[in-house]
Amino acid sequence: MRILAFFLLALTSLNAQNKYPKDYFRSPMDIPLSVVGYFGELRPNHFHSGVDFRTEKREGIPIYATADGYISRIKIGTSGYGKAIYIDHPNGYTTLYGHLSKCAPKIQEILNSEHYNKKNYEIEIRPNPNEIPVKKGELIAYSGNTGNSGGPHLHFEFRDTKTEKIINPLLFGFGDDVKDSKPPIINGILAYPLLDSSQINGSTSPVYLSLTLQKDGTYISSKLAASGTIGFSLNTYDVSESNYSKKGVYKIETSLNGLPNFGCEFDSFSFDETKYINTYIDFFRYKTLHQRFQKLFINNFYPESIIKSVKNKGLIPITSNFTTNYKIVVQDFHENKTIINIPILYETLPIKTTKTEIKTPYFLKSKNENSYSKDNISVFFPENTFYEDFYLKFDVLNNELFLHDENTAVNEAFSITFDVTNISPAEREKMYIANIDNGKSHYIPTFKKENIFSVKTKYLGKFVLKKDEIAPKIYNPSFIDGANLDCDDTITISISDNLSGIKEYNAYLNGKWILLEYENKTNRLTHNFSDNIFTDGKNDFKLIVSDNMGNTTTFESSFIKTK
C-alpha cells in the first residue's frame, strides 16, 4: 500500500512535467540562461509568479518572442513589472516579459502614440489579435530594471491564456540547460504544539530542532518527546552550479511511518491564491525575525493549487504508546533531494517553556464581522479579514488609533473611519489618514464626505490624521538654463514628496505636452529627444508636479537644441 501511494505521487508529478510542450518555445534571450529566481519563491505578500533570468548585470539585452503569436497586452507602470509585454500563442499559452527598458521600434511607435494620446506615462493597451503579430525569434524589447526590480534582470512568465493560471516556466524546458547537481539547503526546522494540550520537549511554544548529517547524506534530528497534536515548518532554499544565490525549492513531501502526510509542488497557481503566502509561512516569525518557514500543515486558508497530497491537514496526533518517524523530502526541479528524518516519542514532560499570549478585552473571531469604536475613531473588519482568531490590541489616545501590530497577517482589506467634526472645514482640505510604520508616515488614499474621513487598508499599526501643506520638490535638472543640448539624447530631472506623495506630473516643451518616463527607485524623470517634440533653436521647458493633497510646484527653464 505504501509503495502504491508513493508510486501514484511520483506518477502525478511526472504527468505534470510531461503535459507541457518542451520544444515549442525558444529562449527569450541569446545569452546563456542563468536563473536567479525560481517559480513559486516566497516573496513579500506573494509567491513569485515566474522565473528571473540574469542579464549579465546590465540593461539592454535583446529580448525575443519565444514563439509565434500576437502581443495581447502591454503595460507600462512605475511599480510591479514596470514595462511588460504579453504575447498570446496559438497553442493556448501566454508569455510575459517584465522589467523591460524599452520596446522594439515597431512596438515603441505604438506606445508613444498612446502615451501622447493619453498624456500619461502609465498606460495599458490590449491590441487586437491582428494588430501586433510576432514571429518566433523576433525582437520585441530590451531587458531593463523598471518597476519593482532589485537589479537588471528579465522576469519571464507562462500563463494559461483562458484561465490566466500561472505555470512554472521550467515545465516548458527552460530548466533543461541549467547545470544543477546540488540538493536544497536546510536552514532550520520548527516543531509546533498546535493545541493548548500539546507540548514538545516540555514546551508549549515552537521548538527549534537540531539536525545531524548522516553518512548517507540524510539528516536526522534528536528525538522529540511530544504529546497532543503537532506540526512542522521548514526554512530551506536551493542553489546550483551556475550560481549560488538562494532560490526557492520546487517540491516538499512528508510522510508518517512511510505513509504520505503532506506534499506541495510549485507547478501552477492562480493570482487569487498568491496572497495566501502569509498563511503558508509562519508569518509572525517572518515579521519578527525575517525568516521564512514554510508550514507543512494546512490552516483555514491555503493555496490549494500547490497541494499535491495531504492527510489530516498535515497535522500529527501524538498519542500514548505512539512512536513514529516523520520524514521530510525537499527537492529542487532537477530532482536533487535533501531528506530529514525526525523520530517522535510519546512523552509528557514537565512544562518548562510556555507560549506567551497577551489577552485583551477584544477577542476577534476571524470568520465573523468585527467592529470597534472609541472616541471619534471606528474600525470595521469584514468576515475573513484575518486567517485565525486572536486577541486584538485596540486603543485610541489623543486622536491616534493603535490597531494591533504588523506581526499579524491580513487576508482582506478593512475600513478605518475618523470623525473630524471638531476640525474646521478649511483645515480638513489638506488632511488625510496616514499609517505610521517605524516612525515613518505612509499616505493612504482617503475618502472624505463632510465630517467623515475613511480608508480601506490591509495595514495594521498606528493611524493618525496628517496635514500636508508642503509642495513637492523638483531638483537636479541635467541642464542649466540656456544650455546647448545638441550632443544630448535625453534630459533628466528629479522629483519627490515626503508626505502625501506624488500624484501627477506634466511637462511641456514650448507649450506642448511631452513624455517623461518615471523611475521610482531614483525619483528621476527622463525625456527622450527621439520623440521629436523639440524645435530648432530655443526650447522652453516647463514641469508641473502635484502631490495627493493638491500642493503644486512648477519648474521652468530653457535650452538650445538644433539637432
Side-chain angles (χ1 to χ4, degrees):
M1 188 67 181
R2 296 177 185 175
I3 296 175
L4 176 60
F6 275 110
F7 172 75
L8 291 175
L9 281 174
L11 185 62
T12 300
S13 178
L14 185 63
N15 287 338
Q17 295 203 32
N18 286 340
K19 77 177 187 177
Y20 299 102
K22 291 194 173 185
D23 298 320
Y24 189 90
F25 297 93
R26 60 151 282 167
S27 171
M29 298 183 287
D30 281 344
I31 62 174
L33 294 184
S34 176
V35 178
V36 70
Y38 279 137
F39 181 83
E41 277 185 6
L42 313 180
R43 302 286 177 89
N45 298 315
H46 70 286
F47 295 104
H48 189 223
S49 56
V51 168
D52 289 341
F53 291 123
R54 292 181 184 272
T55 56
E56 300 179 339
K57 298 182 180 180
R58 61 188 177 96
E59 301 181 35
I61 299 292
I63 306 298
Y64 303 100
T66 53
D68 290 359
Y70 68 92
I71 294 178
S72 58
R73 183 184 181 195
I74 305 175
K75 187 172 183 180
I76 309 296
T78 59
S79 59
Y81 300 137
K83 297 182 180 182
I85 291 177
Y86 301 68
I87 299 177
D88 285 7
H89 304 282
N91 65 343
Y93 298 106
T94 296
T95 50
L96 181 154
Y97 314 75
H99 305 307
L100 307 171
S101 60
K102 62 180 180 179
C103 298
K106 79 171 186 179
I107 302 170
Q108 194 63 51
E109 185 177 345
I110 295 171
L111 288 176
N112 281 356
S113 176
E114 189 71 7
H115 283 305
Y116 279 93
N117 181 47
K118 296 285 181 64
K119 290 184 168 55
N120 205 326
Y121 171 60
E122 295 196 76
I123 60 172
E124 181 176 359
I125 64 174
R126 294 179 180 268
N128 296 322
N130 59 351
E131 193 171 343
I132 316 179
V134 292
K135 290 292 185 181
K136 184 175 184 177
E138 180 179 342
L139 176 71
I140 58 169
Y142 296 89
S143 69
N145 188 30
T146 55
N148 294 338
S149 169
H153 72 278
L154 173 67
H155 175 86
F156 182 59
E157 279 186 27
F158 271 90
R159 300 181 185 181
D160 182 290
T161 304
K162 288 184 178 180
T163 67
E164 290 197 341
K165 285 200 78 171
I166 321 155
I167 306 167
N168 191 337
L170 299 187
L171 295 171
F172 294 84
F174 287 91
D176 292 352
D177 294 332
V178 177
K179 185 180 180 183
D180 185 2
S181 61
K182 295 185 176 297
I185 305 296
I186 307 301
N187 253 355
I189 296 178
L190 282 171
Y192 296 77
L194 294 175
L195 299 177
D196 291 340
S197 58
S198 304
Q199 63 158 290
I200 299 173
N201 292 348
S203 173
T204 59
S205 295
V207 174
Y208 191 89
L209 305 185
S210 59
L211 301 177
T212 303
L213 180 63
Q214 304 298 291
K215 291 182 178 180
D216 62 358
T218 64
Y219 290 88
I220 189 169
S221 78
S222 54
K223 290 183 179 180
L224 253 63
S227 63
T229 299
I230 69 173
F232 293 87
S233 71
L234 180 70
N235 182 264
T236 182
Y237 64 90
D238 191 37
V239 295
S240 64
E241 277 87 345
S242 57
N243 64 74
Y244 281 82
S245 61
K246 296 180 179 180
K247 298 178 284 292
V249 299
Y250 174 60
K251 181 194 301 187
I252 303 175
E253 293 176 343
T254 73
S255 60
L256 205 59
N257 287 338
L259 294 177
N261 176 256
F262 173 88
C264 64
E265 190 171 342
F266 285 97
D267 289 326
S268 176
F269 58 84
S270 69
F271 280 105
D272 289 339
E273 294 175 300
T274 194
K275 65 182 177 181
Y276 293 148
I277 187 174
N278 289 334
T279 187
Y280 174 76
I281 65 172
D282 183 331
F283 187 79
F284 179 83
R285 182 168 290 269
Y286 166 62
K287 295 297 288 186
T288 55
L289 298 176
H290 307 291
Q291 300 170 345
R292 288 191 178 99
F293 276 77
Q294 304 178 52
K295 295 177 184 175
L296 306 180
F297 54 91
I298 294 177
N299 291 332
N300 293 331
F301 298 88
Y302 215 81
E304 294 182 2
S305 294
I306 73 171
I307 298 300
K308 301 305 176 186
S309 65
V310 65
K311 181 179 180 181
N312 192 31
K313 294 186 175 182
L315 306 177
I316 305 165
I318 309 298
T319 57
S320 57
N321 301 319
F322 181 90
T323 301
T324 190
N325 183 68
Y326 183 75
K327 184 178 182 180
I328 305 172
V329 181
V330 187
Q331 181 177 314
D332 63 23
F333 190 82
H334 298 87
E335 301 185 352
N336 303 299
K337 297 178 181 180
T338 299
I339 298 172
I340 307 106
N341 288 290
I342 303 172
I344 308 171
L345 303 176
Y346 172 81
E347 188 173 358
T348 301
L349 300 176
I351 302 299
K352 297 180 180 179
T353 306
T354 59
K355 179 171 59 178
T356 57
E357 183 177 34
I358 300 174
K359 294 187 177 181
T360 74
Y362 312 104
F363 184 72
L364 184 148
K365 293 187 176 180
S366 59
K367 292 184 178 181
N368 299 339
E369 293 182 350
N370 296 272
S371 60
Y372 308 89
S373 295
K374 184 178 179 182
D375 297 341
N376 62 338
I377 300 174
S378 61
V379 180
F380 173 71
F381 297 115
E383 59 185 27
N384 295 321
T385 297
F386 299 97
Y387 296 110
E388 54 191 8
D389 303 345
F390 65 99
Y391 284 97
L392 176 76
K393 290 177 281 186
F394 168 83
D395 203 359
V396 175
L397 297 171
N398 300 321
N399 207 37
E400 296 180 345
L401 169 64
F402 296 86
L403 188 61
H404 211 67
D405 56 58
E406 290 295 330
N407 298 331
T408 298
V410 180
N411 180 39
E412 300 288 353
F414 57 91
S415 301
I416 298 174
T417 301
F418 279 64
D419 186 329
V420 295
T421 302
N422 295 329
I423 301 174
S424 70
E427 277 193 282
R428 297 175 198 169
E429 288 296 318
K430 300 292 185 180
M431 297 186 76
Y432 59 95
I433 298 175
N435 174 236
I436 308 299
D437 182 25
N438 291 323
K440 188 174 181 180
S441 172
H442 299 276
Y443 166 80
I444 308 176
T446 304
F447 175 76
K448 303 178 182 181
K449 186 176 182 181
E450 297 177 352
N451 62 319
I452 297 298
F453 283 17
S454 62
V455 296
K456 283 190 174 295
T457 183
K458 293 181 73 173
Y459 290 98
L460 297 170
K462 181 179 176 182
F463 295 86
V464 302
L465 289 173
K466 278 280 188 179
K467 182 185 286 187
D468 182 3
E469 297 178 311
I470 303 173
K473 289 175 59 179
I474 301 176
Y475 57 101
N476 288 345
S478 61
F479 62 95
I480 61 174
D481 190 45
N484 186 302
L485 302 184
D486 282 346
C487 296
D488 295 274
D489 296 324
T490 63
I491 54 174
T492 63
I493 193 166
S494 298
I495 61 174
S496 65
D497 188 90
N498 291 330
L499 290 173
S500 63
I502 302 294
K503 180 180 181 180
E504 64 177 357
Y505 59 87
N506 286 284
Y508 305 86
L509 269 186
N510 308 313
K512 294 182 179 180
W513 186 89
I514 61 170
L515 173 64
L516 289 177
E517 298 193 8
Y518 181 58
E519 175 49 65
N520 62 0
K521 293 185 285 292
T522 59
N523 297 324
R524 188 171 61 244
L525 298 167
T526 301
H527 172 69
N528 199 309
F529 285 131
S530 63
D531 289 357
N532 291 318
I533 305 299
F534 70 91
T535 58
D536 287 348
K538 182 183 177 183
N539 288 265
D540 294 319
F541 175 80
K542 184 177 183 178
L543 172 62
I544 304 171
V545 183
S546 301
D547 64 22
N548 283 288
M549 288 296 102
N551 304 299
T552 300
T553 299
T554 301
F555 172 88
E556 295 185 83
S557 188
S558 64
F559 57 83
I560 306 298
K561 190 167 181 64
T562 59
K563 59 180 180 179

